[in-house]
Amino acid sequence: MKTALVIGATGLVGKELVEQLLGDARFGKVIVLVRRATGRSHPKLEEHLVDFNNPGSWRDLVRGDVLFSAMGTTIKKAGSQEAQYKIDYTYQYETARAAAENGVPTYVLVSSAGANARSRIFYSRMKGELEDAVKGLPFSQIRIIQPGILAGDREEFRLGERIGIGVMSVLGHVPGLTAYKPYHATVVARSMINAALHGEGRVRTYKLKDVFRLAGGKV
């Protein structure tokens, strides 16, 4: 059985991912590195409260078979672009680097549709820069998931996101635009697990409708 490592375990996708991993017989242990307690208890779950600003204090914990990276925030919650960049890029990259140095063979990242290091849009550029950076790390397999707008039960209310989900739900029924319908956290989490366990090639990126197919086991 495999050991899964998860960062972002208290977020929308991360919480669902942990639940699915705990129920998956192919994984014997699920190690989560979090800034605040998940409140979850399970025989397979090993939880570590860490300070991501101090990699030296937790770097040795990042050992296992697969690192699932699902960390992320918003500018509103972070307070500034600089603070968001630290969470969405720096923390995730430092964890990925620690995993690669510790011999973790597989890395799975939740990115975003439109990620591009040359984008003029801050969020898309940040996601693209992270994708490019982790591709340079010596993992045996790198899987990048690029879903569209996410749907699910968040702890905080996001008006703009709710409006976006409503609009995209309607557009998702329009022929040719089905790939743009909202992506529920359960679908993204399932696609991450399938990506980690299947597929060929060192680096694979799953975009929009590919994520739905991946969640259904079509890798």
Side-chain angles (χ1 to χ4, degrees):
M1 292 187 291
K2 296 182 180 295
T3 294
L5 298 149
V6 180
I7 61 170
T10 59
L12 179 63
V13 172
K15 285 191 295 186
E16 180 59 37
L17 173 62
V18 169
E19 287 301 315
Q20 291 189 25
L21 288 170
L22 291 176
D24 194 319
R26 295 168 295 185
F27 291 88
K29 181 185 289 187
V30 180
I31 300 173
V32 300
L33 276 63
V34 289
R35 292 172 292 171
R36 57 186 175 87
T38 63
R40 185 73 167 84
S41 178
H42 191 280
K44 289 167 57 172
L45 182 64
E46 182 178 309
E47 182 173 304
H48 297 277
L49 293 177
V50 302
D51 176 6
F52 283 98
N53 289 310
N54 184 16
S57 66
W58 49 261
R59 185 176 296 276
D60 196 53
L61 297 173
V62 192
R63 298 180 183 275
D65 298 291
V66 185
L67 170 59
F68 294 96
S69 193
M71 187 178 285
T73 188
T74 62
I75 289 180
K76 181 178 180 180
K77 191 171 183 179
S80 67
Q81 287 187 349
E82 181 180 6
Q84 185 182 21
Y85 194 88
K86 178 182 287 188
I87 295 169
D88 279 45
Y89 179 94
T90 306
Y91 290 172
Q92 292 197 96
Y93 177 74
E94 288 298 329
T95 308
R97 185 167 69 169
E101 291 175 351
N102 290 340
V104 176
T106 301
Y107 176 70
V108 183
L109 170 68
V110 177
S111 185
S112 175
N116 187 328
R118 294 174 296 280
S119 175
R120 293 183 179 181
I121 300 172
F122 169 73
Y123 184 80
S124 298
R125 184 171 66 253
M126 173 178 63
K127 293 297 185 181
E129 288 177 356
L130 178 60
E131 288 187 13
D132 289 350
V134 297
K135 288 176 184 177
L137 295 173
F139 290 105
S140 297
Q141 291 186 318
I142 296 172
R143 302 292 181 255
I144 297 172
I145 313 298
Q146 292 185 345
I149 191 167
L150 298 174
D153 297 323
R154 292 192 186 274
E155 292 182 0
E156 77 275 15
F157 177 78
R158 299 181 181 179
L159 178 60
E161 188 174 86
R162 292 288 180 87
I163 294 173
I165 289 172
V167 172
M168 299 312 289
S169 294
V170 173
L171 291 178
H173 294 288
V174 177
L177 296 178
T178 55
Y180 294 93
K181 64 184 179 181
Y183 291 68
H184 199 278
T186 56
V187 170
V188 179
R190 193 178 308 120
S191 72
M192 293 178 74
I193 295 172
N194 286 341
L197 299 176
H198 304 287
E200 299 178 351
R202 179 176 177 271
V203 179
R204 290 193 65 176
T205 300
Y206 298 90
K207 301 174 181 287
L208 293 173
K209 61 183 179 182
D210 293 334
V211 178
F212 288 110
R213 288 200 293 263
L214 180 59
K218 299 177 181 179
V219 298

